[in-house]
Structures are given as structure tokens and as C-alpha cells.
Amino acid sequence: MADVVPKERKILVAVDEGEESMYALSWCLKNVISQNSKDTLILLYAKPPRAVYSALDGTGYLFSADILATMEKYSNDVAACVIEKAKRMCREQADEVKVEVRVESGDPRDVICQVAEKINADVLVMGSHGYGLIKRAFLGSVSNHCAQNVKCPVLIVKKPKCSSSGTK
Amino acid sequence: MADVVPKERKILVAVDEGEESMYALSWCLKNVISQNSKDTLILLYAKPPRAVYSALDGTGYLFSADILATMEKYSNDVAACVIEKAKRMCREQADEVKVEVRVESGDPRDVICQVAEKINADVLVMGSHGYGLIKRAFLGSVSNHCAQNVKCPVLIVKKPKCSSSGTK
């Protein structure tokens, strides 16, 4: 085993309000973060942009400004809640690891790819489903898209189901 | 940091004759395998089944039995060469890790998913492209398929290009 100085790795973890991304974070803390490492964990949450709500409103008259503001407020609350939960998990499972937080607005596919590129992440960790409050507004799988478009290694973690259903 | 007894993890690495899967293996040895771990690395190579050669021969008359036998021989040689290269890399980068080898015939998508399931892998590591001598015979991306169908976490590693080409 090479006795190398631990590299300072940037581990980008995309989190959302689903259980799967929290499981992915937990798996990462247990399996990727090494003890006494200089790893930095960057927790990334992609908030849906306001345009998404408008797009849902085909007529352009269905949602009043009030409703849009309420949705924006709700979306901020969810973001704060998700980030708080993720930070708590980091403290509990790997309290020595350095944690940074980023909350960005946009299609999670673009946000995740752009941040991975911008911070020059060493690895991107994410769940296989979900990402985004209004999932149906984002067609296709976020993890698929990121695996294809991000340059760094991508670790896709699925939350195991309780029962081991039939294997092909 | 939790001071837990290291778990015996089964790390399945799908290798093929492309440089990318060797890069994925190398990345895994540097970033996933922990020192003094009880990890077992399972190197998996999927050989194209004989049926693939036949399928390439639309008429059923193009390839003689001789040619098919030659292709089979070639395919075995490639498998042996890939596995040897992968084992050498393991010895050089992580000589304490336990290494096992599996060579299976079939569509790499099926082979990789089936083996991951059968051995109850803790994580599957693979490159994002390639897999298989005759790539065009297998439509679609192998890594995409596996990320969607394998139950365990999947780490998809891309070989970085020399130049950092334009970011979107």
C-alpha cells in the first residue's frame, strides 16, 4: 500500500429533500471519507428557479404573485431544512471533516454539473432519484445526466429497499 | 470520527480493454480502498458471447467456423491480457488488498448487473464508456444501464482529457 500524503479532496454531495440523497451522504461519510483526511465535503442543494413555478402555470394567470412568493418562501425553508439535516449527519458520522454548503437556483442537472466543474470536484456523490421539489418539471434522470456530463467520477447511491425483490 | 471496525467490503470493478476502465480501477485503488482495510476487490471482465459474432454476420454465411474460433481465441487472449494488467495495477497501488477475478461471457450490461447482485457487492466501480470488444453490438451506455439496474452504489469514473475543453 502506497504510503502517500493524503490528498485534499473536494467531495461534492448533491442533497435534496428525499431520503435517498441523505442515504447517499451517509454512505459517502462511511465509505469515501477517510479518517484523518483533508477532505472537504461540499453539500449542494439545487432550488427550483422561480421560472419553474411559472412554467407549471400554462395560462400564466393561475398563480398570483402571492402564491409565487409563498412557493419561494416554502422552497427556501425546504432548502434550509435539508442543509441542516445534512450538516447534522456530517457532524454525527464524521465530525472532523470540513463541510461547506452551497445553495443554488436552477435545474438540478445544470446546477450540479456547473458546480462540480466550477469547484473542480474530485468526486460527485448523489442519489439515483429525485433532486428538486417539483420533479416532474425536470424531465429525465438527474443522476444519468450528471454521470454523462460531469468530468469527475460520479458515485450514484441508491437507497436499498427493505425487501430484496426478485433478481433477474 | 466514528472509530468503527473496518467492514469487509466487496468492491466490484468492471474492467475492459479500454484505458478508461483501467483509470477507474486506479482511481478506486487510490480513493476507495482504505489502508488496512479488509476490502476485497473483484475484477470482472465481460467477454462477448459467441452469439455476438454470429449476429454481426447477417447472412449467416460470412463467418466460417474457423473465423469464429479465431475470434473466440482472440477474445480469450484479450480477457487474459486485461485481467493481467488490472492485477498488476492492484499489486503496484494497493498490494495488501485481496483481489479476485471473474471472467464471464455475455452482454456486459447483463454480466455486470448479475455479478453485482450475485456477490452482493458493496460498490460497483466502472468507466463511463466502452465495455466489450464489439461495442456497437451493445446499444446504449453500459454505465447508464448499470447505474439504473444495480442495487448497490455505482461509481462511474471518466478518464480526464489532457486539455480542459470548454465548460458550458
Side-chain angles (χ1 to χ4, degrees):
Chain A
M1 185 90 58
D3 199 18
V4 290
V5 178
K7 192 178 159 254
E8 295 180 35
R9 298 184 304 179
K10 286 183 193 163
I11 300 169
L12 179 63
V13 184
V15 291
D16 75 350
E17 58 285 355
E19 278 183 34
E20 197 177 54
S21 77
M22 288 298 151
Y23 179 83
L25 172 60
S26 170
W27 198 92
C28 168
L29 291 167
K30 285 189 195 117
N31 288 277
V32 182
I33 305 285
S34 37
Q35 283 190 315
N36 309 320
S37 71
K38 294 182 177 172
D39 294 335
T40 299
L41 206 73
I42 299 104
L43 301 170
L44 171 63
Y45 180 83
K47 274 201 322 179
R50 183 176 272 242
V52 168
Y53 306 128
S54 311
L56 289 178
D57 180 8
T59 62
Y61 295 103
L62 200 61
F63 294 159
S64 68
D66 275 2
I67 292 183
L68 288 177
T70 307
M71 283 173 138
E72 179 73 16
K73 164 86 172 60
Y74 173 66
S75 148
N76 287 336
D77 289 350
V78 171
C81 175
V82 168
I83 289 296
E84 188 45 47
K85 192 171 168 188
K87 282 166 81 178
R88 196 181 331 122
M89 190 175 273
C90 294
R91 277 196 304 274
E92 286 169 4
Q93 293 189 26
D95 60 354
E96 287 164 21
V97 78
K98 197 173 140 198
V99 176
E100 292 175 7
V101 169
R102 289 186 79 129
V103 177
E104 308 259 349
S105 287
D107 180 327
R109 292 173 297 188
D110 297 332
V111 167
I112 296 170
C113 292
Q114 280 160 6
V115 172
E117 213 68 50
K118 199 189 272 180
I119 68 168
N120 203 14
D122 288 284
V123 58
L124 163 65
V125 181
M126 58 191 308
S128 70
H129 298 108
Y131 295 99
L133 278 172
I134 303 169
K135 289 170 197 175
R136 267 179 292 184
F138 303 116
L139 296 172
S141 157
V142 179
S143 59
N144 257 8
H145 178 89
C146 293
Q148 277 166 10
N149 290 285
V150 166
K151 286 179 194 156
C152 70
V154 179
L155 176 64
I156 300 170
V157 183
K158 277 183 201 171
K159 192 167 159 53
K161 293 191 184 78
C162 295
S163 66
S164 62
S165 56
T167 308
K168 203 172 62 174
Chain B
M1 185 90 58
D3 200 18
V4 289
V5 178
K7 192 176 161 256
E8 295 181 34
R9 299 184 303 180
K10 285 182 193 163
I11 300 170
L12 179 64
V13 184
V15 290
D16 75 350
E17 58 286 354
E19 277 183 35
E20 197 175 53
S21 76
M22 288 298 151
Y23 180 83
L25 172 60
S26 170
W27 198 92
C28 167
L29 291 167
K30 286 190 195 114
N31 288 278
V32 183
I33 305 285
S34 38
Q35 284 191 316
N36 309 320
S37 71
K38 292 181 178 174
D39 294 336
T40 300
L41 206 74
I42 298 104
L43 302 171
L44 171 63
Y45 180 83
K47 272 201 324 178
R50 183 176 272 242
V52 168
Y53 307 128
S54 310
L56 289 179
D57 181 8
T59 61
Y61 295 103
L62 200 59
F63 294 161
S64 68
D66 275 1
I67 293 181
L68 289 177
T70 307
M71 283 172 140
E72 179 73 16
K73 163 85 171 62
Y74 173 66
S75 148
N76 286 337
D77 289 349
V78 171
C81 174
V82 168
I83 289 296
E84 188 44 46
K85 191 172 168 187
K87 282 166 79 178
R88 197 182 330 125
M89 191 176 272
C90 294
R91 276 196 306 273
E92 286 170 3
Q93 293 188 26
D95 60 354
E96 286 164 22
V97 76
K98 197 173 139 194
V99 176
E100 291 175 7
V101 169
R102 288 186 80 128
V103 176
E104 309 259 350
S105 287
D107 181 327
R109 291 173 299 189
D110 297 332
V111 167
I112 296 169
C113 291
Q114 281 160 6
V115 172
E117 214 68 53
K118 199 187 273 179
I119 68 168
N120 204 13
D122 289 283
V123 57
L124 163 65
V125 181
M126 59 192 305
S128 70
H129 298 108
Y131 295 99
L133 278 172
I134 303 168
K135 290 169 194 173
R136 268 179 292 184
F138 304 114
L139 296 172
S141 157
V142 179
S143 59
N144 257 7
H145 178 89
C146 294
Q148 275 165 12
N149 290 285
V150 165
K151 285 180 195 155
C152 70
V154 179
L155 176 65
I156 300 171
V157 183
K158 276 182 202 172
K159 190 166 159 53
K161 294 193 183 76
C162 294
S163 66
S164 63
S165 55
T167 310
K168 201 174 67 176

